[in-house]
């Protein structure tokens, strides 16, 4: 998140009057609505293109929609398409995605069309990345340019905070996620006035983004797993073990990240790097099956509909393949975020734990595994807890997750992040 998450109006002093915060409300609501519309527009376009690429075209050619041949062809073709955009579009579709996270840079407006096009190609073509990082970057850049033009005396950091909050609210369908992320960003800063003074405008933007998304679609992370009742000692033990296992597995990808990135960087040109990455992803899809394609939310729902429909070995294969696909896609230059595919990795791991040890309840296994994987990949504690909790929609699991996060956090804290500096070294 932005280093300074204050709203665009002057910082509120202790006991700030309502008249200081009220002027931020309308700009915040506008930013929230626009950020949601950008997300919805890109998502809708990508879904339409996905239907054409994965249904209309293979049906017309008489090729199986998710045959090994078609998955390989589509992923390599997506590599060529994104590579062409990165090569020829103004600004090369933004910075190297391996160097970016949720704290998006402010990009020149000329870069945004290429970044949006590359993101749509990735979402439609099958690489294991979500929309969060590039969409946040686009919304931040638009909000900063428009906001500073309309209100020249405001601070850039305030508009960044509004755009990030609005996008996160739209992504998760609730402003709670944005409030948690911003609170985490503010934790190490010297805040003037009450915390809620600083959260007032971003929370309004997040609420507007979430409501706009809800009016058009029905975002829901609840996997509707078998109900989880009163937790017992066995559930506590399972959550501790599975969360730690998820964190350790995620850290394997984190440590491999700079090495895989350097391997693709040796190809030097996006028209070589991205098709090569697509070829590797095609081979992984042949191993893991079509459920390991795309950002993973629809595929996670399919897994959750039948928690006993796969063996422990099949779940393990999907877990490893999806994590490898995330690693490759994030390393070779595809534009996208890492949260949503990490949710699939955690879900497959948690259901695999249930298949291996039936005493591990599916809800406990999934929530704990997602928590551990997200802690390793994102290093965002509140986001990890939030996403893990909403997947099972059970208040009783929150206490387990809070305890399970402790050993998982000890495994990841102080170690490299899944994000690189400009020189290719890992961020710590």
């Amino acid at each position: 998140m932005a280093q300074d998450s204050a709203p665009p109006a002057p910082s509120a002093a202790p006991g700030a009057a309502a008249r200081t915060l009220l002027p931020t409300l309308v700009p915040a609501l506008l930013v929230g609505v626009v950020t949601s519309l950008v997300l919805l527009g890109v998502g809708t376009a990508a879904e339409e293109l996905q239907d054409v690429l994965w249904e209309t075209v293979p049906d017309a050619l008489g090729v199986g929609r998710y045959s090994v041949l078609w998955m390989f062809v589509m992923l390599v073709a997506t590599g060529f398409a994104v590579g062409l955009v990165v090569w020829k579009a103004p600004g090369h579709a933004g910075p190297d995605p391996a160097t970016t996270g949720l704290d998006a840079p402010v990009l020149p407006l000329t870069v945004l069309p290429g970044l949006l096009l590359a993101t749509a190609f990735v979402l439609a073509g099958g690489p294991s990345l979500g929309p969060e990082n590039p969409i946040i970057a686009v919304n931040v850049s638009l909000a900063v340019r428009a906001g500073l033009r309309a209100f020249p005396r405001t601070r850039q950091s305030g508009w960044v905070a509004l755009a990030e909050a609005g996008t996160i609210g739209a992504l998760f369908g609730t402003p709670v996620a944005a409030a948690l992320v911003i609170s985490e960003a503010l934790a190490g800063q010297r805040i003037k006035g009450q915390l809620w003074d600083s959260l007032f405008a971003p929370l309004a933007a997040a609420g507007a983004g979430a409501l706009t998304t809800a009016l058009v679609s029905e975002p829901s992370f609840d996997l509707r797993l078998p109900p989880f009742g009163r937790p017992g000692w066995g559930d506590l033990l399972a959550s501790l073990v599975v969360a730690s296992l998820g964190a350790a597995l995620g850290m394997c990808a984190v440590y491999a990240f700079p090495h895989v990135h350097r391997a693709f960087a040796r190809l030097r040109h996006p028209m070589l790097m991205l098709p090569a990455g697509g070829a590797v992803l095609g081979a992984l899809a042949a191993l893991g099956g079509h459920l390991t394609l795309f950002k993973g939310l629809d595929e996670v729902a399919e897994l959750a509909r039948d928690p006993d429909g796969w063996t422990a070995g099949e779940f393990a294969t999907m877990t490893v393949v999806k994590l490898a696909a995330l690693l490759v896609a994030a390393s070779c230059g595809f534009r996208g975020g890492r949260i949503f595919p990490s949710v699939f990795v955690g879900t497959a791991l948690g259901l695999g734990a249930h298949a291996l040890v039936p005493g591990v309840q599916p809800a406990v296994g999934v929530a704990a595994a997602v928590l551990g994987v997200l802690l390793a990949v994102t290093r965002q504690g509140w986001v990890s807890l939030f996403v893990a909790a909403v997947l099972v929609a059970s208040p009783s699991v929150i206490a387990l997750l809070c305890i399970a996060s402790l050993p998982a956090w000890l495994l990841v804290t102080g170690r490299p992040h899944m994000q690189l500096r400009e020189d290719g070294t890992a961020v710590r």
Side-chain angles (χ1 to χ4, degrees):
M1 292 295 292
Q3 293 299 308
D4 184 352
S5 296
S11 298
R19 63 177 178 271
T20 306
L21 297 176
L22 275 176
T24 70
L25 189 56
V26 172
L29 294 174
L30 288 174
V31 169
V33 171
V34 172
T35 56
S36 177
L37 292 176
V38 171
L39 174 65
L40 290 168
V42 174
T44 301
E47 288 174 4
E48 294 295 327
L49 181 58
Q50 180 180 332
D51 290 343
V52 172
L53 296 177
W54 292 91
E55 296 179 10
T56 305
V57 174
D59 289 351
L61 295 175
V63 180
R65 293 180 177 180
Y66 293 107
S67 64
V68 170
L69 173 62
W70 191 248
M71 289 191 294
F72 188 85
V73 167
M74 282 308 310
L75 286 161
V76 173
T78 302
F80 275 109
V82 177
L84 186 62
V85 174
V86 174
W87 180 26
K88 292 295 187 181
H92 306 291
D96 182 351
T99 64
T100 63
L102 294 181
D103 50 341
V106 179
L107 303 173
L109 295 182
T110 54
V111 177
L112 305 188
L115 180 56
L116 287 171
L117 185 60
T119 302
F121 283 158
V122 168
L123 293 175
S128 294
L129 292 172
E132 59 273 19
N133 290 9
I135 297 300
I136 288 175
V138 168
N139 283 334
V140 162
S141 303
L142 291 174
V144 167
R145 302 297 175 185
L148 292 181
R149 177 169 292 187
F151 304 97
R153 296 186 179 181
T154 56
R155 291 179 295 170
Q156 174 176 303
S157 59
W159 298 103
V160 170
L162 295 184
E164 289 178 340
T167 309
I168 293 172
L171 279 166
F172 294 104
T174 170
V176 175
L180 292 173
V181 173
I182 295 170
S183 298
E184 192 167 12
L186 291 171
Q189 299 179 27
R190 189 175 179 180
I191 304 172
K192 296 180 180 179
Q194 299 294 317
L195 173 63
W196 276 91
D197 290 341
S198 296
L199 287 176
F200 181 82
L203 192 58
L211 287 174
T212 302
T213 300
L215 291 174
V216 178
S217 62
E218 296 182 5
S220 175
F221 283 75
D222 182 8
L223 297 181
R224 295 178 174 83
L225 289 165
F228 171 65
R230 182 179 179 181
W233 292 111
D235 298 318
L236 176 59
L237 177 62
S239 65
L240 289 168
V241 172
V242 174
S244 298
L245 181 60
L249 185 64
M251 286 307 300
C252 292
V254 171
Y255 277 110
F257 191 47
H259 303 290
V260 178
H261 182 265
R262 278 196 296 271
F264 282 108
R266 290 192 182 100
L267 298 176
R268 297 184 179 275
H269 199 284
M271 289 302 289
L272 295 176
M273 295 166 59
L274 284 148
V280 176
L281 292 176
L284 288 170
L287 179 62
H290 74 277
L291 289 178
T292 59
L293 296 172
F294 305 106
K295 66 181 180 182
L297 281 190
D298 292 338
E299 291 72 24
V300 160
E302 187 170 341
L303 290 182
R305 278 196 290 270
D306 187 10
D308 299 311
W310 290 267
T311 66
E314 289 171 328
F315 279 124
T317 299
M318 286 189 282
T319 299
V320 174
V321 167
K322 187 68 172 183
L323 186 62
L326 166 60
L327 175 61
V328 170
S331 300
C332 70
F334 285 114
R335 272 50 181 170
R338 299 152 205 158
I339 292 178
F340 292 114
S342 296
V343 170
F344 182 98
V345 174
T347 301
L349 176 62
L351 292 177
H354 165 70
L356 185 65
V357 182
V360 177
Q361 298 193 50
V364 174
V366 167
V370 168
L371 171 66
V373 174
L374 283 176
L375 284 175
V377 172
T378 70
R379 217 55 57 89
Q380 297 270 351
W382 282 123
V383 168
S384 303
L385 274 169
F386 171 80
V387 174
V390 298
L391 287 174
V392 299
S394 173
S396 57
V397 82
I398 296 177
L400 293 178
L401 292 178
C402 289
I403 301 299
S405 68
L406 302 178
W409 184 255
L410 291 177
L411 287 172
V412 305
T413 186
R415 291 178 167 81
H417 294 207
M418 201 171 188
Q419 184 175 340
L420 304 179
R421 299 185 180 90
E422 295 293 336
D423 61 2
T425 59
V427 174
R428 286 183 177 268

